Amino acid sequence: MRTILFLCMLLVSQHALKAQSNMLSGSVTDDRTGEPLIGVSIQIQGTRTGTVTNVDGLFSLAIPGSLADATLQFTYLGYKTVEVNLAEMNFSVPLDIEMKEDFIKGSEIVISGQGIAMEERRLSTDVVSISARQLENIPSTRIDELLQAQLPNAQVRLTNGQPGSSSIVRSRGVVSAFINSTPVVYVDGVRVDNLNTAATLGGGQTSGAATSALADIPAENIERVEFINGGAATTLYGSDGGNGVIQIFTKKSGAGDLDVTFSSQIGATTPTEDFLHFDRTSELLYQNGLFQNYNVTVSGGNNRLGYSFSGSHTDDEGFRIQNQNANSRTAFRTGFTAYLNDDLTFRSSLSYTRNNFLRVRNGNQGGYTGLWYTESGSSLFTGPGFNPNLDELSDADFALMQEFVTTAEALQDNSTSINRVQTSQSLEYNPVQNLVIRATAGFDYRVQDETIVTTNQYLNHIDDLSPENGLFNRGSIQNFNRNFLGLTGELTAQHRYELSDFSFISTVGGQFWRNEDRQVAYSGEDVRDGAQSIGQAAVTQSDEFYSEVANYGVYVQENIGYKNRYFVEFGLRGDGNTAFGDDLGTQFYPKVGASYLVSAEPFFFENIDPSIISYLKLQANYGVAGNFPQPFISEPTVDVQGFLNGQAATTGQVGNDDIGPEFIYTFETGADIGFINDRLSFGVNYYYSETRDALLFVPPAASVGDELILQNVGTIENWGWELSATVVPVLNRDWNVRLTASLNTLNNELTDAGGAAPFNINGFSSRTMQTVVQEGFPIGFLRGNTGTFVNGVMVSTTPQTPLGSTIADRFGSMSLNATYRNISLFSTADYQTGAFAHSFERQFRFRYGAASDNEGIPQAEVDANGTNNWLNFTDQFIESTDFFRIRLIGVNYSIPPSVLNNLVKRVTVGFSVTNPINFASSSFDPEATQSGGDQGQNGATTGGIAYAAESVPRQFLGSLRIDF
């Protein structure tokens, strides 16, 4: 009885102790400028109890009595972590925290690849973090464009100026011939659609540019972005991490009273004319369009509930005449954090995006397309027919051409509508100090609808038929619908334990995700003008595609530290995937790594002045990640089609019960070093990546008579160096000047094809130009015909010869950020060298006699054969795609509140220019080189063919931000 009474009293006393709390308040500022820091995370170490600073840098936090001797941690991206022992606190006095900028980010807390969270100093791999402050300066609503020139070890290239077009996102080369190089994208722990190539039924291709799911991920209210690549860094993502992972974390709480921020950007969208061949093309096709973006953010909270909401609307008239590439976008994102009790925290985020845009016909789609007509010379035979050399046209002929083009542009009707909902729900439980259990669930639902209405009036116009002779049974309507539903569930537990000089961070978890992709294409022919539904068509047809894949994974990771400077980590993930063959079973992905913080050794600063060397970290790791095969590819199928008014069955795909993922084995080693009190820092890293069991189609024995079989037979190698540097030449209370630069080298080769024959992944017929996969060459190298000339006349042609790699072997980025008191200047740029591409525009100009200089082909050849040999010397139209591009230049000025009589907390005005300056070795846009399609949905894309594709436009924007 006494024992029971004692236990009851103990529980009551513990509950009472827990119920008691002390209120702590204070402020967080920059130690150099004294400016308040907004959104600093304040958390009791080892628990979920915490808050964030408000727009004035203020905070308040209830400290449970049971945690009176715990450590309070202040973390903020780009600043060194500050820790305060609560046992030494006087709660009656506000706490003033000054945080120092962290140029090396050694104390940064990261999540990607770590299960829950871990200090960067403990990691043997690099995680690139981008803060909300860095993203605020970039006037874009697209995630991929926001990241352009922001990731030092990755390339982000927008391949077309059409709204919503795909991009090429690539870091350590092309690790697969069948899987797109786009990283997996997570938003608040939920895997989202990242399709960045043409959909299986051709969605977007009717306007010549694939529609990217990255383009409509809501970019509002982002707290930070993390990017990791390489097998060792992405092991915990298992069969889905071969191309790296982008993690997007959104704002889910504020602090204190209601904070309201209004921001807007207004300006002009203008065409990029740098790569146009004819001076008059711009006059025919382009205009300046009005761009408007408005955004409202509301946040606030208390010790139990924090919330954040943002809504934005964008209208962009585009840069084509008749507003034929206009874009309208509305997005909402909301998040909140509820501290249900001292042990339980609930976080939620929800976003909705509606994106509508128009597109003109692009590339060579037959008939009339703007750039093919003007730049490639098809004006010779399209419509009434004109001299294809626009600069030689008389004023009268040019006026007639302009009338023809204006009407052709106005009669196009290609529209796309996208609705997208994303949500993430997370519950964190802290049963004891230093143990965190997190459950996350969410979904991504994306609906894409496209409609292409081709009227009889349009077809008669481009065929130059008079009204009395026009045809009225050629009109058509094409509709495409894609529904994507992705579900994610994850349960993770992380425990931190310290024993003497040792520290252990143990992580264990399980993850499930499932993707469902349903596509329907339906069309009608012989449609009267004015009809908007295929129900009014004389002839209709349809097609359907369905894909479903589910992945089940469990993982475990241990990170061990000794004296807070020696660290080792081990990890293992096991995956089952419905795309694997029935005989395969669970696939495992291990990793091991070590890091050594040399500058934390007692002897280091005893012998080295920190004004000379201030930081030194060494690291090395080895790990494996994967790429799963296409869903259902393992299954044998029977094709049943109509024949003679009945059903006819034929053999479909053979299937492969042994098919499994591609394994990307990565070894890397490197160092981070700081000089002059971290004012000058360098990062150097060497990596070697080998894709084993690469998926390739292998022909069966001739006696079998089956089709090609997709098998795990190939080996792909990627290796190179990743170098980065940051220098802060000026740093005082008034001035802060920071420069960053990176250089990446890359070598890519399919070293073993396992018997697979060379095949085309992105191009046209073997008579023209292809990007090819072949043993002994980089993935997607150019292959075409090479001509041999004697005395200026072609005497022979060699078919299908290698003409250069489409993958740059050198690339990097750089940035400038300078502030003087209330004025800030910022700029970003990137570059590449060593890649090549084919200009179909030049080849067509030669074919149609549109170029006065024959595009470099000897006059003797033209005199002897005219332009009949135009496909026999494709090598003459291959160009280097080296470039240096300034992506952004901008300036902001923060008006002191005293000037405005403190009516508002802060007002910032600014001006920026996107894509202002291009330097390129090619006559065409070196980034707009993905014309000609690709291998298919999620297929490998390397670019390499420049063909009547729009350049990404420039924008001149003024901005206003008001914090109330």
Side-chain angles (χ1 to χ4, degrees):
M1 185 67 180
R2 291 181 179 178
T3 302
I4 296 175
L5 183 60
F6 173 76
L7 290 175
C8 290
M9 293 176 62
L10 180 63
L11 288 173
V12 170
S13 63
Q14 288 292 326
H15 180 75
L17 180 62
K18 202 168 195 178
Q20 296 174 2
S21 63
N22 293 303
M23 185 62 66
L24 176 67
S25 62
S27 64
V28 183
T29 57
D30 183 300
D31 81 312
R32 178 178 55 85
T33 64
E35 290 292 316
L37 297 180
I38 307 168
V40 175
S41 175
I42 305 165
Q43 195 161 337
I44 299 178
Q45 195 173 63
T47 75
R48 296 295 93 192
T49 302
T51 186
V52 295
T53 57
N54 65 10
V55 72
D56 296 312
L58 303 177
F59 71 93
S60 62
L61 179 64
I63 307 296
S66 60
L67 300 175
D69 60 346
T71 298
L72 191 63
Q73 192 175 64
F74 296 77
T75 59
Y76 193 48
L77 193 58
Y79 284 76
K80 295 182 178 181
T81 298
V82 175
E83 295 183 348
V84 177
N85 191 326
L86 291 173
E88 301 173 358
M89 289 300 305
N90 182 353
F91 290 93
S92 62
V93 178
L95 178 64
D96 295 326
I97 298 296
E98 295 183 345
M99 300 188 73
K100 297 179 180 292
E101 289 186 83
D102 186 2
F103 304 121
I104 298 183
K105 302 182 180 180
S107 61
E108 184 177 307
I109 305 296
V110 297
I111 294 176
S112 297
Q114 309 309 315
I116 293 184
M118 199 173 298
E119 298 93 334
E120 196 277 338
R121 67 190 293 160
R122 303 181 69 102
L123 305 183
S124 62
T125 56
D126 288 328
V127 179
V128 177
S129 300
I130 304 173
S131 68
R133 293 198 305 171
Q134 292 172 273
L135 298 176
E136 284 174 358
N137 292 328
I138 304 173
S140 177
T141 58
R142 291 186 54 158
I143 287 294
D144 45 5
E145 197 167 12
L146 280 176
L147 300 180
Q148 202 167 43
Q150 297 289 324
L151 302 177
N153 53 359
Q155 279 189 300
V156 182
R157 292 172 41 189
L158 302 183
T159 62
N160 202 299
Q162 299 257 35
S165 295
S166 62
S167 57
I168 294 178
V169 185
R170 185 166 57 225
S171 53
R172 294 178 174 178
V174 179
V175 300
S176 173
F178 277 89
I179 307 299
N180 184 261
S181 61
T182 304
V184 179
V185 180
Y186 282 80
V187 178
D188 292 329
V190 174
R191 187 182 189 276
V192 300
D193 184 18
N194 69 333
L195 180 62
N196 205 18
T197 53
T200 296
L201 297 186
Q205 289 297 288
T206 47
S207 56
T211 301
S212 171
L214 296 180
D216 49 75
I217 294 176
E220 289 77 21
N221 223 22
I222 291 178
E223 183 176 83
R224 73 184 187 280
V225 178
E226 295 180 359
F227 172 70
I228 58 174
N229 60 5
T234 59
T235 292
L236 292 195
Y237 299 92
S239 302
D240 208 20
N243 286 309
V245 177
I246 295 173
Q247 286 258 27
I248 300 168
F249 302 92
T250 66
K251 298 176 182 177
K252 300 178 190 64
S253 66
D257 297 334
L258 178 69
D259 291 324
V260 179
T261 299
F262 168 79
S263 61
S264 68
Q265 297 168 328
I266 300 177
T269 298
T270 68
T272 298
E273 304 174 8
D274 304 29
F275 303 101
L276 296 177
H277 181 77
F278 295 113
D279 295 335
R280 286 176 155 178
T281 295
S282 179
E283 188 176 348
L284 288 171
L285 296 178
Y286 297 137
Q287 65 176 17
N288 295 326
L290 176 65
F291 177 92
Q292 305 175 76
N293 174 260
Y294 304 96
N295 184 81
V296 175
T297 301
V298 178
S299 64
N302 52 40
N303 289 315
R304 288 300 177 191
L305 178 67
Y307 58 88
S308 180
F309 169 83
S310 70
S312 70
H313 180 73
T314 303
D315 267 316
D316 186 359
E317 292 181 348
F319 57 92
R320 288 292 288 259
I321 61 172
Q322 308 296 322
N323 301 119
Q324 283 288 10
N325 61 350
N327 186 195
S328 175
R329 183 178 184 273
T330 301
F332 300 94
R333 191 188 289 278
T334 183
F336 70 87
T337 300
Y339 298 96
L340 304 180
N341 57 44
D342 294 338
D343 300 330
L344 200 60
T345 304
F346 178 66
R347 289 184 172 87
S348 174
S349 66
L350 174 69
S351 68
Y352 168 73
T353 306
R354 179 171 178 82
N355 204 3
N356 295 294
F357 49 81
L358 303 176
R359 283 181 170 181
V360 290
R361 291 164 58 85
N362 203 29
N364 173 21
Q365 298 179 280
Y368 169 88
T369 61
L371 286 177
W372 192 47
Y373 183 86
T374 56
E375 288 286 286
S376 300
S378 74
S379 58
L380 178 67
F381 54 83
T382 304
F386 294 95
N387 180 347
N389 190 325
L390 270 60
D391 294 337
E392 294 180 354
L393 286 173
S394 65
D395 291 342
D397 283 343
F398 182 75
L400 292 174
M401 178 183 279
Q402 191 167 41
E403 181 181 355
F404 171 83
V405 168
T406 300
T407 303
E409 293 284 314
L411 291 176
Q412 296 182 56
D413 187 1
N414 309 321
S415 61
T416 299
S417 172
I418 296 171
N419 288 275
R420 188 169 194 171
V421 178
Q422 299 170 3
T423 185
S424 170
Q425 315 299 321
S426 176
L427 192 64
E428 294 182 1
Y429 179 47
N430 237 138
V432 296
Q433 192 171 350
N434 294 320
L435 174 61
V436 179
I437 302 173
R438 174 187 292 170
T440 301
F443 68 83
D444 178 27
Y445 183 57
R446 183 178 184 271
V447 179
Q448 174 181 334
D449 292 290
E450 297 184 13
T451 301
I452 293 89
V453 179
T454 306
T455 62
N456 293 286
Q457 183 183 6
Y458 169 79
L459 294 171
N460 290 332
H461 174 73
I462 65 173
D463 289 342
D464 196 33
L465 297 177
S466 60
E468 60 272 16
N469 295 325
L471 302 175
F472 301 97
N473 63 346
R474 299 188 297 165
S476 66
I477 297 177
Q478 295 173 281
N479 288 328
F480 170 80
N481 172 266
R482 176 175 181 261
N483 286 266
F484 172 89
L485 174 62
L487 304 174
T488 302
E490 186 166 5
L491 179 63
T492 304
Q494 186 177 84
H495 181 255
R496 180 187 293 259
Y497 176 69
E498 296 189 6
L499 177 64
S500 185
D501 290 330
F502 288 90
S503 61
F504 303 84
I505 300 179
S506 307
T507 306
V508 61
Q511 183 197 54
F512 162 77
W513 57 259
R514 178 182 180 274
N515 290 345
E516 179 181 313
D517 184 353
R518 185 181 298 275
Q519 302 173 28
V520 179
Y522 46 102
S523 63
E525 298 178 357
D526 192 358
V527 180
R528 65 175 178 82
D529 287 2
Q532 294 293 313
S533 169
I534 66 169
Q536 298 174 299
V539 179
T540 61
Q541 59 182 358
S542 62
D543 198 0
E544 186 176 12
F545 168 83
Y546 178 78
S547 173
E548 179 183 313
V549 61
N551 193 91
Y552 311 82
V554 294
Y555 54 84
V556 60
Q557 179 175 264
E558 182 69 38
N559 186 288
I560 304 173
Y562 177 65
K563 293 188 175 180
N564 207 27
R565 52 184 178 270
Y566 307 95
F567 304 98
V568 294
E569 58 181 338
F570 309 91
L572 179 68
R573 172 157 174 155
D575 267 1
N577 190 293
T578 57
F580 296 167
D582 292 339
D583 297 339
L584 202 64
T586 304
Q587 300 297 288
F588 294 97
Y589 306 90
K591 76 169 184 178
V592 59
S595 62
Y596 175 31
L597 189 59
V598 185
S599 54
E601 290 282 6
F603 67 78
F604 190 82
F605 291 121
E606 292 176 1
N607 299 283
I608 300 176
D609 187 339
S611 63
I612 301 176
I613 300 179
S614 49
Y615 185 88
L616 178 59
K617 177 188 173 183
L618 307 177
Q619 62 191 40
N621 54 72
Y622 177 80
V624 185
N627 286 319
F628 62 89
Q630 298 122 315
F632 305 132
I633 198 70
S634 65
E635 303 293 334
T637 62
V638 175
D639 287 342
V640 179
Q641 298 178 343
F643 180 71
L644 297 178
N645 298 320
Q647 293 186 356
T650 60
T651 301
Q653 68 183 22
V654 177
N656 182 356
D657 286 338
D658 295 318
I659 198 167
E662 301 174 309
F663 290 93
I664 294 87
Y665 294 77
T666 304
F667 167 78
E668 57 184 288
T669 183
D672 296 321
I673 183 169
F675 300 92
I676 320 173
N677 294 313
D678 296 345
R679 297 274 293 275
L680 175 62
S681 61
F682 292 97
V684 57
N685 195 58
Y686 172 81
Y687 69 92
Y688 174 81
S689 171
E690 183 177 79
T691 303
R692 303 176 191 172
D693 296 332
L695 292 166
L696 298 170
F697 276 111
V698 179
S703 58
V704 177
D706 287 334
E707 296 181 350
L708 296 174
I709 304 174
L710 189 62
Q711 298 184 33
N712 299 102
V713 296
T715 303
I716 302 170
E717 293 183 358
N718 291 276
W719 69 95
W721 291 88
E722 297 170 330
L723 310 174
S724 62
T726 299
V727 58
V728 185
V730 182
L731 184 66
N732 53 49
R733 186 172 182 84
D734 292 332
W735 278 98
N736 181 356
V737 179
R738 184 181 308 185
L739 299 164
T740 66
S742 68
L743 168 64
N744 302 270
T745 70
L746 170 62
N747 298 273
N748 173 265
E749 183 182 346
L750 174 63
T751 56
D752 184 0
F759 59 93
N760 175 38
I761 61 171
N762 180 23
F764 303 92
S765 70
S766 58
R767 294 185 63 245
T768 53
M769 173 55 59
Q770 297 178 325
T771 55
V772 176
V773 174
Q774 181 176 340
E775 185 173 300
F777 292 91
I779 300 294
F781 72 94
L782 295 167
R783 189 176 73 176
N785 298 329
T786 299
T788 300
F789 290 81
V790 175
N791 297 325
V793 178
M794 195 197 77
V795 295
S796 66
T797 183
T798 304
Q800 300 185 28
T801 56
L803 298 175
S805 173
T806 57
I807 303 172
D809 59 17
R810 302 286 188 279
F811 64 89
S813 60
M814 53 193 65
S815 67
L816 164 67
N817 288 274
T819 61
Y820 175 70
R821 294 184 178 177
N822 297 327
I823 301 175
S824 62
L825 173 70
F826 48 90
S827 179
T828 61
D830 60 359
Y831 64 93
Q832 74 171 31
T833 64
F836 297 86
H838 168 241
S839 174
F840 245 135
E841 293 177 349
R842 287 184 52 221
Q843 199 159 5
F844 272 119
R845 281 198 295 268
F846 171 76
R847 175 69 177 96
Y848 300 140
S852 302
D853 60 355
N854 297 324
E855 293 297 338
I857 304 303
Q859 184 63 41
E861 167 64 22
V862 178
D863 294 339
N865 299 302
T867 59
N868 293 328
N869 283 329
W870 72 297
L871 291 177
N872 292 329
F873 37 73
T874 299
D875 61 303
Q876 298 295 310
F877 305 101
I878 301 295
E879 298 185 36
S880 166
T881 55
D882 297 353
F883 70 75
F884 175 82
R885 310 190 83 151
I886 296 180
R887 302 291 184 180
L888 175 68
I889 297 176
V891 60
N892 287 333
Y893 175 67
S894 295
I895 302 175
S898 58
V899 175
L900 303 171
N901 295 320
N902 294 310
L903 296 175
V904 296
K905 296 178 179 177
R906 185 178 291 103
V907 175
T908 303
V909 295
F911 178 77
S912 64
V913 186
T914 59
N915 303 308
I917 301 174
N918 297 307
F919 299 100
S921 60
S922 57
S923 62
F924 50 84
D925 188 336
E927 290 190 284
T929 59
Q930 201 172 330
S931 300
D934 51 57
Q935 188 176 333
Q937 182 163 339
N938 203 34
T941 50
T942 61
I945 300 178
Y947 191 10
E950 308 280 359
S951 294
V952 176
R954 290 190 173 99
Q955 288 184 319
F956 298 83
L957 302 176
S959 63
L960 172 67
R961 176 187 171 101
I962 305 175
D963 294 307
F964 297 93

